[in-house]
Amino acid sequence: MFITFEGMDGSGKSTQIRLLAEKLTALGREPLTIREPGGTPLSEEIRQVLLAHRKGSVSLTAEVLLFFAARAQLVDEVILPRLEKGDIVIADRFVESSFAYQGYGKGMEMGFLKTLARQVTRNLVPDVTFYLDINLEGSLSRQDSRGTRDRLESMDPETWNRIRDGYHDLIQAHPERWVVINAGDTVGHIHHQIWTELEHRLSV
Ligand code: TMP
């Protein structure tokens, strides 16, 4: 089973992924958790390249291709082999992050992103995607409380708004796969909602 988490920066994905992985591990399921960009040595190197602040501007096409290069390695080296073995894979972000951030947020042509996504993922679609919904103020204040922003987090409020609206468009296009959760809820209650949703899909 392939489970993905999406949401704006600071929406609490990492905490929820950790809690979910702990729960599954306690039940003997040994899930694999990965983050994007990252999850393989090559993909983690690309992550450093993407997040680093630079003197000059970064071409949006270069940014897109770097995200997809990291993802291609992760899909081929880790995600597909583990899914073929019947494992549970939990991913912190997947192609919808590129659609929301580079597509809706920064204006990359959606047709190009979708073609790349199909090629790179070999048409892999998550079984379920949890969207932790946080408003712009909440996202920015959680980013600030974590310290300095990386290059990708350093965007103007209009871009952040387009990213959030973009996620809502993506959800409306495939509501059957997305589970929307209010990220302002308590950590425990969010975990409970995620678990309730998954329990009937897994024979645990
Ligand atoms: P993270 O902070 O959730 O680990 O994600 C790293 C940053 O990369 C975050 O600001 C979102 C951004 N990102 C994109 O812009 N496009 C993508 O395709 C992915 C996977 C992440």
Side-chain angles (χ1 to χ4, degrees), residues 132-146:
L132 299 192
D133 194 15
I134 190 169
N135 61 26
L136 181 58
E137 295 70 41
S139 169
L140 296 179
S141 89
R142 283 206 201 167
Q143 288 174 42
D144 287 338
S145 69
R146 292 197 296 216

Side-chain angles (χ1 to χ4, degrees), residues 16 95 98 155:
Q16 291 303 326
V95 291
S98 297
M155 294 185 286

Side-chain angles (χ1 to χ4, degrees), residues 112-125:
F112 176 57
L113 294 176
K114 292 210 164 146
T115 303
L116 274 175
R118 274 195 301 275
Q119 285 289 132
V120 163
T121 69
R122 299 162 203 284
N123 294 317
L124 175 66
V125 177

Side-chain angles (χ1 to χ4, degrees), residues 4-181:
T4 61
F5 279 72
E6 293 286 348
M8 306 235 291
D9 297 66
S11 57
K13 292 179 283 95
S14 334
T15 304
Q16 291 303 326
I17 289 172
R18 182 175 48 75
L19 292 174
L20 176 59
E22 283 170 9
K23 176 99 182 177
L24 287 164
T25 304
L27 294 167
R29 293 297 294 254
E30 294 185 19
L32 174 74
T33 62
I34 47 176
R35 68 167 178 184
E36 277 221 46
T40 74
L42 174 63
S43 312
E44 288 291 335
E45 281 182 45
I46 297 173
R47 180 185 178 89
Q48 297 311 316
V49 171
L50 277 162
L51 267 55
H53 284 283
R54 298 177 183 279
K55 280 201 188 116
S57 63
V58 174
S59 139
L60 179 56
T61 310
E63 181 175 305
V64 164
L65 294 173
L66 284 166
F67 274 116
F68 276 97
R71 181 170 294 136
Q73 187 66 29
L74 180 65
V75 168
D76 287 354
E77 187 181 326
V78 179
I79 299 180
L80 289 178
R82 293 295 290 256
L83 291 176
E84 271 157 28
K85 276 171 59 188
D87 288 347
I88 298 173
V89 177
I90 308 173
D92 189 341
R93 302 193 179 282
F94 198 52
V95 291
E96 273 94 8
S97 282
S98 297
F99 297 163
Y101 281 75
Q102 280 68 45
Y104 287 93
K106 299 185 182 178
M108 177 51 75
E109 195 207 325
M110 206 52 92
F112 176 57
L113 294 176
K114 292 210 164 146
T115 303
L116 274 175
R118 274 195 301 275
Q119 285 289 132
V120 163
T121 69
R122 299 162 203 284
N123 294 317
L124 175 66
V125 177
D127 295 292
V128 56
T129 299
F130 291 101
Y131 176 68
L132 299 192
D133 194 15
I134 190 169
N135 61 26
L136 181 58
E137 295 70 41
S139 169
L140 296 179
S141 89
R142 283 206 201 167
Q143 288 174 42
D144 287 338
S145 69
R146 292 197 296 216
T148 51
R149 295 189 194 169
D150 58 46
R151 185 183 69 80
L152 293 167
E153 288 171 337
S154 307
M155 294 185 286
D156 53 64
E158 290 74 34
T159 307
W160 282 113
N161 273 324
R162 286 196 299 274
I163 293 170
R164 186 158 185 270
D165 291 347
Y167 269 124
H168 289 139
D169 261 18
L170 293 167
I171 293 163
Q172 271 177 10
H174 291 284
E176 70 291 346
R177 171 164 62 86
W178 291 76
V179 179
V180 179
I181 292 176

